[in-house]
Each structure stands twice: as structure tokens, then as C-alpha cells.
Amino acid sequence: MNSPKKDGDDDVPVKDPVKYGELVILGYNGSLPSGDRGRRKSRFALYRRAKANGVKPSAVHILNTPQDSKAVHSRGQHSISFTLSRNQTVVVEYCHDNSTDMFQIGRSTESPIDFVVTDTSGAGKEGEDPSIAPSTISRFACRVVCERNPPYTARIYAAGFDSSKNIFLGEKATKWKNPDGHMDGLTTNGVLVMHPEGFPEDPKQGLWREISVCGDVYALRETRSGPSRGKLAEGESSALRDGSLVDLCGATLLWRTGEGLMRAPTLRHLEALRQELNASRPQCPVGLSTLAFPSMPRSHRWDLEERQPWVYLTCGHVHGRHDWGQRSEGVAEPREGEGSTTRRECPLCRSVGPYVPLWLGCEPAVYVDAGAPTHAFVPCGHVCSERTARYWAETPLPHGTHAFRAVCPFCSAALSTPGWTRLIFQGPID
């Protein structure tokens, strides 16, 4: 595979390049609804570049007039500007760093952005237009800097350099001078990171933290865009681990290391599990028809098929699509995360609850193991292994200005409590 190229990139593809890792946007189940195109896609692979493009801090300038600022910026070097007042700006110049590669993420489609990320809608369905609501993702949201030599450590920093190679923190931005004298700051809505322990073999969720422009780690602000920074998290690092989550206030990214991806299930493995499940010929207890999960490419298009399995989420009994057991009291208020799902009575156990189609989870990066697809998320019906379902149901993601909630990693639907159900299939009678 060739090294990924952005628009206008002059990097020459390298044979067998080092793969630092991948960033995967949660909620898209393998690809964007309209398809992955160019720099706008659901996952972005970071490869060692043919030529290093990293930068590191060098000179610091304290400027008192706009003319001084122009003189510094006209040099064409990367810089971060901290506006302290109308008459004073601190500019930190950055020089080339031969030992690192830099990758930038944000909403902007300008050339400095390597991975274009837009807001993830509530359930990632075709036809939902995220452009209706104003985006909360920064145009130049963050940057990931990878060491070109082993162990290829990847570190994340808030904010990205714009087309003029500048990061600008205005008068109202949260910023400060550290005890060692260097300036630092936070972006408006912040870049939040959670590093799990033991991912994926025995994953334990870590604490959500905020990353500064210079890569330091802080406790969360009182609200997402609050004016005061949290307390410095002593001894904690912005280095990404396998399974780290990065929240950009509108989209959450999962980081998988190159090594972690080599141990993770592949699309081919998930397809084999699908075929194995279909080969067992699960049946609908009512219609006695044989059920079959759709092929992987169709599983993220939301196109229902005739033999699609459906499930009663309260009990987990799997059926085909039928009209049995509709409840007249089905207009009751749904619980959080259930949307307007119709309430039905299961013909096998008489339990009442939502009745939804089942969809296979097609994004291998979010799986914590290669187990059989035995569990479904509630209320969306995405199917995966038990350990994967339990992990994501217990992993709260930032939501709004100061809330957290667990979501399905395949469609971003808010999960109920509990967030999963065990599937009960009926085998063929013959």
C-alpha cells in the first residue's frame, strides 16, 4: 500500500512504509455514508513520510506593534501567536525537525489538513445532513506528531497550523505562561483524550483529560469551553496508546497503533464470522424462514433485506421481520437512546420492548477481540462480540458541554442501560 497523499502533497510513495497507526472516526461502521473520498474518510492511516515534515519550538519573540508581527510572520516559518493584549503578542517560532512527522486533523479542507473530519450525526444514517447545525469541530483542530524512529511514539497536540503556518490564540483564548517561562493555551472547545489501560486484551477505561497547544495534559475544565484551565495532570503524557480516544467536540477518534492493528481482527475475519453464522441457518420462530445477515458492504447502508434478522432488545430473541405482537400502548415514552422505536411483544417469552433489525459491526478497529458476533447494542441493533459490546457500553464519551454518555461505536447512537443484549438464535428444526 502506498503512503497516503493529501491534495497537492509532493511526498513520493515509499515501498513498504512504516505504519505509525490509524485514526478511526467512531460512528461510521467502515466508511462515510457517501463513501470515502480523498482526505474526507472514516479512517486515516499515518505512514512515515518520504521526507520529515515535523517542527519544534525555536525562537521566542515578544512583539509590541503590528509591524513587528508582520516582520516575524513574513519569514515563512511555522509559529504560534499568543495575543496577551492589543499591544503585546508573544510569538513562538518553530523550526524544522528531522526526527518527526506531523499530521494535522480538522474540519478545514485547506491543504495543511491531512484528515478532514466533520461532525458525526447521532446515528450516522444516510440522509442525515450534519451541515444543518453549526459545526463545533475546529477548522484546524489538532495535530499528531510521530517519531520517525522506533518505537514510533505518536503524540497529540491541540490546534493545527493554518495555511499561513500559524496557530493564533486571540485575546479571549485560554492561555498562560508556565513556571519555566514558555507560553501555552487551550483551543475554544478543547481536544480531550482518554488513554485506556491494557487495550485490547484487558481494557480498563482511563480518565478523560484535555491536551494543550504545546501537548501538556490537564484535568477537564468545568465546561467544555470554560475560560479557566483544569489542574495540570502531573506525570501524564500526550503520547497516544493503542485504543486511545481523541474527542474533537463533534467527533471522537480511536487511535490504533500499527502493532495493535496487526493483532486486531480484519474485514476478512469478520466476513468469515458472518458466513459461519449464516451457515448455522438461524430461523425465525414465527415464520420459520431462514435468516441471513447481509454482506459486509451492505451492512452500513441501512438497506433492509428480506431475510434480515430482527431482535427483541429486551430479551434478545432473534426473529425475521413480522407484524406479530404490536402493542397498542407502544406510544409510551421511550427510554433514553431508544428514539421512537416501536414496542413489541416477543412471541417466545412475552417480554415487551423495542424490535429492531440487526446489523453487523463492520469496523474492525473498534473490536477488542475476534470473538463470535453474539451480542447487539441497545437500541441500534449493531452486532459484535461480547467483550466488544461490554467495553463500549462501559466507555462514556464526551457529549455536549459537560456531559458524558456511552454510544455505539458503529453508529454513534446513545446506548440505553444496559447498553447491550445477548442474542438468542433458534436453529433449524430439521
Side-chain angles (χ1 to χ4, degrees):
M1 185 181 292
N2 287 339
S3 178
K5 295 180 69 175
K6 64 186 181 185
D7 302 355
D9 197 348
D10 58 1
D11 265 1
V12 179
V14 177
K15 187 179 179 182
D16 299 326
V18 171
K19 188 174 190 176
Y20 298 128
E22 287 189 11
L23 286 167
V24 179
I25 311 176
L26 297 184
Y28 287 115
N29 203 21
S31 72
L32 299 183
S34 56
D36 291 348
R37 294 186 181 91
R39 293 174 292 149
R40 196 188 296 266
K41 46 197 169 187
S42 67
R43 61 194 299 154
F44 173 59
L46 285 70
Y47 291 90
R48 185 164 62 186
R49 298 184 185 274
K51 184 180 178 182
N53 73 333
V55 293
K56 57 186 177 183
S58 57
V60 178
H61 306 271
I62 299 175
L63 312 177
N64 298 311
T65 68
Q67 288 76 18
D68 292 341
S69 181
K70 274 186 182 178
V72 169
H73 290 141
S74 66
R75 300 183 192 185
Q77 286 183 277
H78 288 81
S79 62
I80 301 181
S81 302
F82 301 87
T83 303
L84 305 182
S85 68
R86 188 175 299 177
N87 300 319
Q88 191 174 61
T89 299
V90 176
V91 176
V92 180
E93 275 192 310
Y94 279 64
C95 63
H96 181 64
D97 183 1
N98 280 321
S99 65
T100 62
D101 286 332
M102 181 171 66
F103 303 88
Q104 300 208 134
I105 299 109
R107 178 170 49 90
S108 172
T109 57
E110 293 180 33
S111 59
I113 294 296
D114 297 280
F115 185 26
V116 178
V117 176
T118 54
D119 297 67
T120 305
S121 56
K125 294 185 183 178
E126 184 84 55
E128 293 186 353
D129 186 2
S131 64
I132 295 173
S135 176
T136 48
I137 298 175
S138 171
R139 295 176 65 245
F140 301 91
C142 66
R143 59 200 194 277
V144 174
V145 176
C146 302
E147 294 178 4
R148 290 174 61 85
N149 297 310
Y152 307 116
T153 304
R155 292 182 172 83
I156 188 160
Y157 300 79
F161 294 98
D162 62 19
S163 295
S164 61
K165 299 183 179 179
N166 187 47
I167 293 172
F168 180 79
L169 295 178
E171 273 190 74
K172 294 181 180 178
T174 302
K175 54 193 173 304
W176 61 91
K177 182 182 283 190
N178 282 307
D180 63 3
H182 83 263
M183 295 294 299
D184 204 350
L186 305 174
T187 54
T188 303
N189 289 327
V191 173
L192 308 188
V193 173
M194 189 273 279
H195 301 304
E197 294 281 350
F199 187 94
E201 291 83 5
D202 185 24
K204 299 286 188 298
Q205 293 78 6
L207 295 174
W208 280 96
R209 300 298 200 192
E210 181 161 10
I211 302 297
S212 72
V213 172
C214 294
D216 286 336
V217 184
Y218 291 86
L220 302 185
R221 290 179 260 185
E222 287 190 13
T223 60
R224 189 73 191 241
S225 56
S228 302
R229 74 174 193 266
K231 186 179 179 182
L232 179 69
E234 298 278 358
E236 296 189 29
S237 166
S238 65
L240 297 174
R241 304 175 191 163
D242 194 28
S244 288
L245 293 173
V246 178
D247 189 83
L248 303 180
C249 194
T252 304
L253 313 181
L254 168 68
W255 169 256
R256 295 303 309 266
T257 61
E259 186 181 347
L261 286 167
M262 290 173 67
R263 298 195 305 267
T266 62
L267 267 178
R268 184 177 295 180
H269 178 84
L270 298 183
E271 173 63 15
L273 290 175
R274 181 189 77 87
Q275 293 181 11
E276 186 179 328
L277 186 55
N278 287 348
S280 69
R281 296 172 57 211
Q283 287 199 334
C284 172
V286 173
L288 300 182
S289 57
T290 301
L291 308 176
F293 281 92
S295 64
M296 301 298 273
R298 297 183 64 84
S299 291
H300 52 70
R301 282 168 41 187
W302 302 90
D303 295 332
L304 286 168
E305 296 194 356
E306 187 179 346
R307 295 200 296 156
Q308 185 112 14
W310 286 59
V311 66
Y312 290 88
L313 289 174
T314 302
C315 58
H317 283 117
V318 178
H319 290 246
R321 189 175 191 177
H322 57 70
D323 296 324
W324 197 93
Q326 302 220 31
R327 303 280 295 207
S328 58
E329 68 269 26
V331 293
E333 283 294 311
R335 292 175 293 179
E336 183 183 355
E338 287 183 2
S340 57
T341 308
T342 305
R343 293 176 69 77
R344 301 273 289 270
E345 180 181 294
C346 174
L348 293 183
C349 67
R350 302 289 185 177
S351 63
V352 177
Y355 175 63
V356 300
L358 291 173
W359 306 93
L360 281 173
C362 301
E363 177 48 74
V366 306
Y367 281 77
V368 300
D369 67 352
T374 56
H375 287 61
F377 286 107
V378 178
C380 60
H382 276 105
V383 179
C384 61
S385 67
E386 178 179 2
R387 287 187 57 229
T388 299
R390 287 178 180 272
Y391 176 73
W392 290 106
E394 295 168 3
T395 303
L397 305 185
H399 174 64
T401 57
H402 55 270
F404 289 83
R405 68 180 186 185
V407 305
C408 169
F410 301 111
C411 71
S412 288
L415 298 182
S416 304
T417 304
W420 50 268
T421 188
R422 184 175 68 86
L423 299 177
I424 305 172
F425 292 94
Q426 176 169 304
I429 293 173
D430 48 74

